[in-house]
């Protein structure tokens, strides 16, 4: 008889890397929620802080009493996502991004462009690419309501894309843990445009890792039509495809196919609105995020790029220079040492986005959800067992029929 057998589905789930879920983790999450609720001046954030602190505290108590991580995680998600979301939907309050997306959909359907011609105050600006307006179309068509709220559609898009990007055995635990993480639970409840972008980047890298160039290009093209932050995922996916596809020429063709599909998809979703009013497009999605307009973006977390731009003469230019250098370093790393797996590609992209977020003149801590989601996805995709153990299982399984035939011949 063989000493080892191929791992079954329960084995795969049992051997996957453990995600944080003990009492200390949930206590840390509760402290984070309490701190945000106490110091934030935004009503949706205060509601989230109070509700999430209760959910995390209950999860910490359950974990300390030996209840399963699944039970504690479910309680945490209920308190950090579902409860504040229901409260905010009932009182019709959300983060500013939700209103921006809803208004952009109205402008898109009525005038062919999601951008106001002459924005004056920060609330008038829409710094997202035209595809983001799709999440506001249900409300623009059917009117405001709990089921048409853009944050529901953005959250559903994120969770759906993230789950599809995971192996079948990890589609329950990893999304549950990620939804309970404060950096993700907050935008799920109050609204955040970065989540669907991050989910689509994971799905695009997953398809690239499988060698499906056309599907990867389509997904990444849709992500690139939502927000600029998705664009770095395209060259990372191209480098991955060139590595995983067998044969140099075949790998180059796969990368070219992915890039072409991504370019055509993004162009089809962006150009009609951009060409409708090129001046408004540039003002909203280029000048405003870079801080080149009279109105100041509310994205002002004290990260290095923002501090340089506001505290140092010529600091904005220096921050943009550092941003360009970080992009160049990412490009060089893809050429010198391209990622060999989807997990490695996600880790490379997470590092690049982390540097970009650090050096952007107008940035906020919430943007860190991009590298967090990518890192969590890469962790959830790690091999279920040590490679040597799997090779031993396969080797013995292959040798067993030969061993039996020798015994029968005797």
């Amino acid at each position: 008889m063989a000493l080892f057998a191929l791992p079954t589905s329960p084995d795969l789930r049992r051997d996957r890397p453990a995600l944080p879920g003990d009492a200390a983790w949930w206590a840390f999450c509760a402290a984070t929620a309490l701190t945000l609720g106490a110091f934030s001046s935004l009503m949706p954030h205060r509601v989230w802080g109070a509700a999430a602190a209760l959910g995390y505290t209950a999860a910490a108590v359950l974990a300390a009493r030996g209840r399963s991580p699944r039970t504690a995680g479910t309680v945490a998600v209920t308190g950090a996502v579902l409860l504040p979301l229901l409260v905010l939907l009932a009182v019709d309050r959300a983060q500013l991004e939700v209103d921006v997306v809803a208004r952009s959909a109205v402008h898109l359907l009525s005038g062919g462009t999601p951008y106001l011609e002459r924005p004056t105050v920060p609330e008038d600006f829409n710094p997202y690419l035209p595809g983001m307006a799709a999440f506001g179309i249900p409300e623009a068509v059917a009117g405001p309501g709990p089921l048409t709220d853009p944050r529901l559609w953005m959250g559903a898009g994120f969770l759906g894309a993230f789950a599809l990007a995971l192996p079948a055995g990890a589609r329950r635990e990893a999304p549950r843990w990620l939804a309970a993480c404060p950096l993700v639970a907050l935008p799920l409840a109050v609204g955040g445009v970065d989540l669907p972008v991050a989910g689509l980047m994971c799905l695009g890298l997953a398809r690239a890792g499988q060698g499906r160039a056309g599907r990867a290009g389509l997904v990444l093209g849709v992500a690139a039509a939502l927000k600029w932050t998705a664009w770095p995922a395209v060259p990372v996916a191209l480098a991955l495809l060139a590595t995983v596809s067998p044969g140099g020429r075949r790998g180059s063709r796969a990368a070219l196919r992915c890039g072409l599909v991504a370019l055509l998809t993004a162009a089809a979703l962006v150009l009609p609105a951009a060409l409708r009013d090129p001046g408004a497009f540039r003002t909203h999605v280029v000048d405003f995020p870079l801080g080149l307009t009279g109105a100041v973006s509310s994205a002002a977390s004290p990260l290095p790029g923002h501090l340089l731009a506001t505290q140092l003469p010529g600091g904005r230019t220096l921050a943009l220079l550092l941003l360009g250098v970080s992009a160049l370093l990412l490009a060089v790393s893809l050429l010198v040492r391209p990622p060999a797996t989807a997990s490695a590609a996600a880790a490379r992209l997470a590092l690049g986005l982390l540097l970009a977020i650090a050096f952007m003149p107008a940035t906020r801590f919430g943007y860190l959800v991009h590298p967090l989601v990518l890192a969590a996805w890469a962790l959830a995709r790690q091999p279920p067992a040590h490679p040597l153990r799997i090779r031993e299982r396969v080797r013995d399984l292959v040798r067993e029929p030969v061993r039996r035939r020798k015994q029968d011949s005797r």
Side-chain angles (χ1 to χ4, degrees):
M1 297 295 292
L3 297 177
F4 299 95
L6 286 175
T8 61
S9 296
D11 294 330
L12 297 183
R13 288 192 294 269
R14 187 165 51 245
D15 292 335
R16 288 192 180 277
L19 295 171
D22 56 6
W25 166 252
W26 297 126
F28 169 77
C29 292
T32 301
L34 280 174
T35 302
L36 178 64
F39 289 97
S40 177
S41 60
L42 302 176
M43 180 267 193
H45 287 189
R46 294 197 300 269
V47 170
W48 178 84
L54 290 175
Y56 290 138
T57 301
V61 172
L62 290 174
R65 292 183 176 181
R67 301 297 294 271
S68 68
R70 177 176 299 180
T71 301
T74 301
V75 171
V77 170
T78 301
V81 179
L82 297 181
L83 179 58
L85 177 61
L86 292 176
V87 171
L88 292 172
L89 286 174
V91 298
D92 193 23
R93 296 295 297 272
Q95 198 163 258
L96 178 61
E97 287 88 333
V98 177
D99 295 331
V100 171
V101 171
R103 288 199 308 269
S104 68
V106 173
H107 295 320
L108 178 65
L109 295 180
S110 61
T113 175
Y115 308 110
L116 284 175
E117 185 177 0
R118 293 183 180 86
T120 55
V121 297
E123 290 75 14
D124 293 338
F125 284 88
N126 173 18
Y128 317 123
L129 292 172
M132 191 66 71
F135 295 107
I137 289 179
E139 181 172 313
V141 173
L147 297 181
T148 60
D149 193 284
R151 85 189 92 172
L152 293 182
W153 297 95
M154 290 188 288
F158 160 67
L159 292 174
F162 186 80
L164 288 175
L166 289 169
R171 288 179 180 172
R172 291 185 179 181
E173 299 303 325
R176 183 188 293 113
W177 175 85
L178 193 60
C181 182
L183 200 58
V184 175
L186 175 63
L188 280 175
V190 306
V193 298
D194 295 298
L195 288 178
V197 179
L200 287 173
M201 285 194 293
C202 292
L203 183 57
L205 292 179
R207 296 298 174 259
Q210 296 167 350
R212 300 179 179 180
R215 295 185 182 182
L218 180 63
V219 172
L220 292 175
V222 173
L226 300 180
K227 201 174 180 184
W228 293 115
T229 48
W231 286 37
V234 176
V236 175
L238 299 186
L240 175 61
L241 274 167
T243 304
V244 301
S245 299
R249 181 175 299 179
R250 189 173 178 180
S252 299
R253 286 201 298 264
L256 180 61
R257 187 185 315 119
C258 175
L260 185 60
V261 172
L263 178 63
L264 293 177
T265 302
L269 296 174
V270 172
L271 285 182
L275 296 177
R276 181 82 174 183
D277 192 340
F281 176 82
R282 177 180 174 178
T283 299
H284 283 264
V285 303
V286 179
D287 294 344
F288 181 68
L290 294 179
L292 303 178
T293 60
V296 179
S297 172
S298 60
S301 296
L303 293 172
H306 177 71
L307 294 177
L308 287 173
T310 57
Q311 305 297 326
L312 189 68
R316 186 179 303 280
T317 302
L318 179 59
L320 294 177
L321 178 62
L322 291 173
L323 185 62
V325 170
S326 64
L328 179 62
L329 290 176
L330 176 63
V332 171
S333 74
L334 294 176
L335 293 175
V336 174
R337 191 176 180 182
T341 64
S343 295
R348 189 80 56 86
L349 179 58
L351 177 60
L353 289 175
L354 188 62
L355 291 174
I357 293 167
F359 296 130
M360 287 172 60
T363 186
R364 59 162 58 102
F365 287 118
Y367 295 165
L368 295 173
V369 72
H370 289 288
L372 170 67
V373 170
L374 288 164
W377 179 71
L379 176 64
R381 285 180 56 87
Q382 289 301 309
H386 194 279
L388 291 177
R389 183 183 174 194
I390 293 180
R391 282 201 295 269
E392 289 174 353
R393 290 174 175 176
V394 175
R395 181 195 62 197
D396 292 334
L397 188 65
V398 171
R399 289 180 178 178
E400 179 62 19
V402 178
R403 191 179 299 114
R404 285 183 178 179
R405 285 198 297 269
K406 289 182 179 179
Q407 292 175 352
D408 292 341
S409 63
R410 293 175 183 172

